[in-house]
Every structure is written in C-alpha cells, then in structure tokens.
Amino acid sequence: FSLCCFLFFVWVPCLINFVASVPLKSNEVQLEVKDHVATVVSTLNYENKEDKPLEAVFVFPLPGDAAVCHFSAQIGQTHIVAEVKEKQQALEEYDDALSSGQQAFLLEESDQSPDIFSLSVGSLPPGESASIRLEYVTELAVQADDGLRFCLPTVLNPRYHPRAVAQIFPASLVPYSLSFSARVSSPRPISKVESNCSLEPLEYLNADQTQATVGRELMAAGHKFDRDVELLIYYKDAHQPTAVVEAGQASAKPGSLMGDPVVMVSLYPEFPQDVMSSLASRGEFVFLMDRSGSMNYTRISSARDTLLLLMKSLPMGCYFNIYSFGSRFEHIFPTSVEYSEKTMEEALKEVEKMEANLGGTEILLPLKHIYAQPCIPKQFRQVSSKHTGVAPTLMPNIVLTFGIGAGASSALINGMAKEGGGHAQFITGTDRMQPKVMQSLRFALQPAVEDISVSWDLPKGVSSTILSPPITAMFQGQRSLIYAQLTGQTSEATDGCVTVKYSLAGHPSQNQLHFNLKPAEDTGLTVHMLAARTVIRSLESEQRTHRGQQDEEVKKKKVVELSVQSGVSSSFTALIAVNKDVGKAVQGPLVRRNIPTPFYGIWNCKGAADVDQICLYFSFYVTGPVVTHEAASPPPRKDPLLQLVSLQKASGCWLLDADLAAALGKASEEVKKAKPASVNSEVWASILALIWLHGFKMDAKEEWELLTLKAASWIKAQNAPCVSECVEAGNTLLGCSVKKEDLGL
C-alpha cells in the first residue's frame, strides 16, 4: 500500500505539467440525423501558447463503420481543404512540408483498427490558432428495442494487440472541453431521444414532431470523459421500409459510382405471426464469456446472472456449451451437449464458480476451437459473445456480440456480428446486461432464414449493380440495408421495385418495396459516400483474406482508386492538407505534443496495449477499490427474481417446495394449502411462479419473458384441469390480479 501511494503521487504532478501545455482546447460536435443516417461535424480548436512551434498529434476513436468524407483547416483567413491520397504518398508530402517550414495537416486511419484515427497538426507557430473541421457519415444501428443508436466515442481503450498508438491518460485529467448539439429529422414522428449524458429536454421544431433538437448545452460544465456520448432515438412506426435515390455528382464520370445515381434501401422483414408464435426447438448455442481482468466484480457477477437467465430460457431439444476466456480459455463440456435438467444444473454449478481470473483478452483461440468443432446434424449453431475487446474472424453461423463498458471497440464488436450474420449490442453506463442479452437471444430463437436472394424490377433501360455484401441473415423487424448503383436512363416509368426472397421455416417468403426513381433533394452525397464506404470495407476484407500477393495488390489498388474518387478514407489512404500560401516559413525545430486520449478503466503499468493486464495501484485511485481474485466467494444470491428463476427446471416447470415458497414470500404450508385439489403440485407451482413474475416483475419482463413462454408451453402440454381455478387461487394467495390470457395459458 505504501508503494501504491508513492507511485501515485509521483505520477500525478508529471501528468498535470503535461496536460497544462496541450494545444487542443476544445472539440465542438454537431450531429444531424436524417431518419437512420447521421452526419457528424467535429471542429477541433488548437492554440499554441508556447514559445516554440508545435506538432500536435491526436489519436482518437471514431465509429468503426464511419465514412470520413471531409477534412479541412482554418488558419487565420486561410482555409485549406484536404485531399485523399495513397497513404505513403500522403505521409511523404506531410514530412516534406514540415521539413520546409510549411504548415501541414494529416488524418489517417490506424493500421490496427478502423475505429482509431490519428490527426497530426504540423508547424503551428507560437501564439497561433487553428481550427480543424472533420466530417463523417454513418448509419445508425438498430437496437433490439427498435431504438437507433448513435455513439460519439470519446474514450479510447486499448484494442486487441495494437501497437502503442495513443498517449492515454485517466479521463479525469483530460484538459480540453467537449460540446455537443444534435438535430433530428425523419418522415415519421420522433417519439423520444434518450442519452447517457445530461441533455436539455427534447425540443420539437414543428407540429407533426418530425424535427427536433437536443443537447445544445450538453456538458456545459465540462465533459468528464468517463463515457462515450450515446443517443438512442425512437421513431413512431419505426418498421417502415424506405428507399432513397440520390443523384450522382455532376463532375464525376458517368458510369462510375460517384457519377451514377445510388439507391439506399432499408428493409424491415415482417414474418408471419403463425411462424413467430413458436420459438425454435432446435439449435446449438455456444456462450463465450470474457473472464479477463477487465471484467471486474460487478461485471462478472452480472455475467453470471445473465448466464442463469440464458440457461433457463433455452428450449428443450437444443444443444449448448459455455466457453470462457482470458489469456487461456476453458469450456464446461468437451463438446456441446443436449439441453436437459442434468446438463443445465451441471453448467450452472460451474458458472457460479466463474471469476475474472484468466488474465488478458485472447478471444481468437477459443473462437478457433469453437469453429473447429463439427456442427451437430440438424442443429443451427449460434454463438453469443460478451467481451470488451475481440479479434475479428470469419464466421459461418449466427454470432451475437455485446460490447461492455466505455471505450469498447465498435469496429470489432460490430464486425464480428456482421461477419457472423448476427446482431451487436452495447452495454454502457448503468445499462443492465440481462435485458439486452435476452433481447438478442430472441433473435437466436427465431426460425432460421435461409436461401436469401435480392432481385430488382426496374424500367427498361435502367439496370442495377448491388454494392452491398450479400445478406446472410434476417431477423423479425430488424433492418437490412442494401446499396445499389443505378445505370442508364428512361423517360417512361419512374418507379422501381426491390424484392427479397427467402425460406422461413421451410416455407418460401418474400418482402417487396416499391420506390420512386426520382432523386431525393437535400441529401448531398451522403448515400454515395456510405455506399463507397461499404464497397471499400468489403474490398479491404477480401484483401486481408486473400493469400496471393497479386490479388492483394489488385484489391488495394481498387480501394485506393475508390477512396480517392469518393473522398472517403480507407486503410490504404490518408487525407493531407498543406498550407502553400507564400509566406515566411516556420522557424526552429518542431516540438511534438501528443494530445492525451481519454482512457477509462484499468491502467496498464507496463505500458503494454492489453487493457486486461491490471496495474492495481493505479486503478485503486482511478476506479475505486479493486476486488482481487483471492477475495471470498460472493454472498448467496438475494435478488428475488433471480432466486425464483434459479428454481425453474429445464423443462420449464417449478417444483412445489420450501424454496419456491420462500422466493414467493410465503410460508410453505400456506402455499400447499391454497392449491386446488384437482391440480398436481408442479402445475400449481408453475402457475404461481408465472403470476408472481407478471404481478411483481413487469419492469424486468425482457429478462424473464422467454423462460415464461417455456413454462406456459409445459403447463399446456400437461392438459391440466381447472387452470382458470388455479389462476384465481394464485391471485388470491399472492395478492395479484393477473389474467389467465396474460400468462399465455
């Protein structure tokens, strides 16, 4: 403990001296949301208060699927707009400019992760200011509760095996300020906007509530950089398919992506109710849990509770296994086993023992092991992964991912889900893990959608080229995005149609969308840039997976050409701006200043990139008391909901015993005495459990809804007499007024 204090007090003055000289003073962020597309303009204001010229380097996070499309600098009356160039060429031009005393500005994507960027402001003379304008566009991800999620990353935690790319500092010591404002517009009314930060109330700008502003004074007192800025936007009638046609760029060559019109189609498949009314009774479910050091006591406890809910919600007839990982990995069963009372109880006993004691975050090895296992005949494999950092890999089956905490890599979490044809969710701030995980399990339990194909019906003379990767998975009510380039002209019909066909539970189905080919107004080139970003990311992914050097060079050349043509950044290009105005060269050697990047979590005392190698003495002061791995076992579970859930059997029923009575808050004899004579004990116990959940825990319905569907199915399969009488007696016993229909009976 003495050593801890000594190191802490030695470091702090050094940090304070460093941050006092940081030239970045503020970051002003303006967000404009149109339906499900966001345009973000970030203005970074620099000032050199030192007596020597500076080069300021700022490494910061951006959304992993963002299309960076504009970068410019304002120095006094001089405005310089950056150009997209091949990365090595841009780096050489930047170095040459600094060597000759010119001001230069460079923005490049990290080689390690597409959600990390580096901004270099070179040759900023003493006493001079500069404003850097950075603009990007991105699609807003649809959450399981139909909200559209926008995240402004402000926290950069180390990624999976990157080089040391940032000068990271505790969030509380970051010296620059952040302001934020947002404007939202949509063809549909805006229901609400939620945020994890303090916001001014939502202000509607018109009577039909399709335009609104929010967050004008966000963080007026100074953002603490202890979280990313998150907005959740909810529209009325959210599941409406749309198509936006955008005219090409007048100066671009006809036949090119930027020269032709591009259509962005948003589809929300609606599956027949009779198919959706029954959950899947088969499938292989593999749960992969992070047990590295970053999963502190609270997170690991929440993960254990989540696995309890997952285990109780699985259908009979499926197969499952549970993996956990850190520097090494473990699995409960050698191979996936059939779900039964015996295997469920065995798994839960092991889950209760799980601690955050496996070291680092090495997720690639367990993933390789999972996908090396042969699939079980007639079982569709689904992988659920909870982590703070992951390595991407190609995945042939459904993958559901969850990013936990501030600073999680959106590129990796979204990338895993996308490659695995699944769904990603982020669990931040005070979010409970259980509801979001259970929402995603609903997707996994939906009937499998197979044989997906897309066809176009366009007027004569007009053809389409699909720019998006093939759709590999579809979920009820979840958006599928398609970008297509439209070539040719027609003076006749102005309508087109896109049809998505697929097989659902063995039955052929389809969804259609008719749309007008007339280009929309006031979209600029947003759709084109998003389409270009989609093609660039696909080519980059193909370039990484092809082993032949010739193929890699061909893919790289295509990426560079499209990046330069569209103005959208890529891993092989950079944006470069040089102030070539005739004037006096900046004199004297440059002093490099690394802008501190906010880091929130556990500090690595060894300087390594792995967030999970814990430096206990520093995290003690930054994040509060640390519970070491040798701590005593947690006390028995006291949460009434989890106590009741833990008593459910794999089949879906409950037993009539003293434990159930205690969970219901009743004496055992009282519960037995209230049972109608003609009903067996398990049916009575199960109906009581359902009544208690519906009567007292409706606020947590998302957590227990799946397991109650299983319970209701079990009760109906018993053909028990007097169910209505049981429900009435149960209401009387528990003091509730739940209807039989509400219980699914």
Side-chain angles (χ1 to χ4, degrees), residues 721-740:
C722 306
V723 171
S724 297
E725 182 185 352
C726 279
V727 174
E728 185 178 346
N731 277 321
T732 301
L733 175 66
L734 298 176
C736 299
S737 56
V738 180
K739 296 179 181 179
K740 185 175 87 168

Side-chain angles (χ1 to χ4, degrees), residues 102-122:
Q102 291 179 301
Q103 291 180 314
F105 308 88
L106 179 73
L107 180 69
E108 59 176 317
E109 180 183 308
S110 166
D111 293 333
Q112 283 72 44
S113 181
D115 61 352
I116 299 177
F117 280 74
S118 175
L119 169 60
S120 300
V121 176

Side-chain angles (χ1 to χ4, degrees), residues 357-419:
N357 56 0
L358 294 187
T361 311
E362 297 289 341
I363 196 174
L364 188 56
L365 289 177
L367 284 174
K368 286 182 175 180
H369 189 272
I370 290 170
Y371 284 100
Q373 305 302 308
C375 285
I376 299 170
K378 299 183 180 180
Q379 302 291 336
F380 197 71
R381 178 175 293 168
Q382 326 231 11
V383 179
S384 173
S385 177
K386 295 182 281 295
H387 48 266
T388 53
V390 297
T393 182
L394 294 177
M395 303 187 181
N397 302 299
I398 291 179
V399 179
L400 306 170
T401 58
F402 307 90
I404 302 172
S409 172
S410 62
L412 297 181
I413 292 159
N414 287 324
M416 282 188 69
K418 184 176 180 180
E419 294 290 347

Side-chain angles (χ1 to χ4, degrees), residues 236-506:
K236 295 178 181 177
D237 302 320
H239 292 181
Q240 297 298 317
T242 59
V244 177
V245 178
E246 185 177 80
Q249 192 174 21
S251 59
K253 180 181 178 182
S256 66
L257 187 151
M258 300 303 292
D260 284 341
V262 170
V263 59
M264 176 177 62
V265 178
S266 304
L267 294 175
Y268 288 85
E270 294 291 338
F271 300 155
Q273 185 58 39
D274 58 337
V275 177
M276 296 303 299
S277 60
S278 60
L279 298 176
S281 60
R282 62 185 178 91
E284 180 187 4
F285 297 85
V286 182
F287 302 99
L288 181 58
M289 189 171 82
D290 187 348
R291 287 176 57 193
S292 61
S294 64
M295 294 290 288
N296 57 30
Y297 177 77
T298 301
R299 288 179 180 176
I300 200 71
S301 297
S302 183
R304 286 195 299 260
D305 292 342
T306 303
L307 280 171
L308 169 65
L309 291 167
L310 288 167
M311 288 293 98
K312 298 294 183 177
S313 301
L314 291 180
M316 298 295 287
C318 76
Y319 284 71
F320 79 100
N321 203 351
I322 299 176
Y323 282 67
S324 56
F325 69 93
S327 299
R328 55 187 175 86
F329 70 90
E330 299 176 355
H331 42 79
I332 292 180
F333 304 105
T335 59
S336 293
V337 296
E338 186 171 359
Y339 179 73
S340 66
E341 183 65 28
K342 180 178 181 296
T343 56
M344 182 193 74
E345 290 296 337
E346 186 177 344
L348 288 176
K349 286 179 182 178
E350 295 301 316
V351 168
E352 281 297 318
K353 302 175 187 176
M354 288 183 176
E355 299 289 347
N357 56 0
L358 294 187
T361 311
E362 297 289 341
I363 196 174
L364 188 56
L365 289 177
L367 284 174
K368 286 182 175 180
H369 189 272
I370 290 170
Y371 284 100
Q373 305 302 308
C375 285
I376 299 170
K378 299 183 180 180
Q379 302 291 336
F380 197 71
R381 178 175 293 168
Q382 326 231 11
V383 179
S384 173
S385 177
K386 295 182 281 295
H387 48 266
T388 53
V390 297
T393 182
L394 294 177
M395 303 187 181
N397 302 299
I398 291 179
V399 179
L400 306 170
T401 58
F402 307 90
I404 302 172
S409 172
S410 62
L412 297 181
I413 292 159
N414 287 324
M416 282 188 69
K418 184 176 180 180
E419 294 290 347
H423 188 264
Q425 295 212 73
F426 290 83
I427 301 166
T428 59
T430 59
D431 287 350
R432 280 176 55 80
M433 185 186 301
Q434 290 86 351
K436 293 199 172 186
V437 173
M438 299 308 293
Q439 286 170 351
S440 291
L441 181 61
R442 271 193 165 276
F443 294 146
L445 291 173
Q446 288 183 13
V449 176
E450 301 172 309
D451 303 325
I452 303 172
S453 64
V454 179
S455 60
W456 297 77
D457 182 10
L458 299 171
K460 186 177 181 180
V462 180
S463 61
S464 64
T465 302
I466 296 183
L467 305 173
S468 307
I471 300 174
T472 57
M474 295 172 64
F475 300 109
Q476 163 75 9
Q478 285 295 295
R479 185 184 68 208
S480 296
L481 272 178
I482 304 172
Y483 292 95
Q485 179 179 341
L486 302 177
T487 305
Q489 295 181 342
T490 178
S491 58
E492 301 174 0
T494 57
D495 288 339
C497 176
V498 59
T499 303
V500 179
K501 296 181 179 181
Y502 50 91
S503 175
L504 177 66

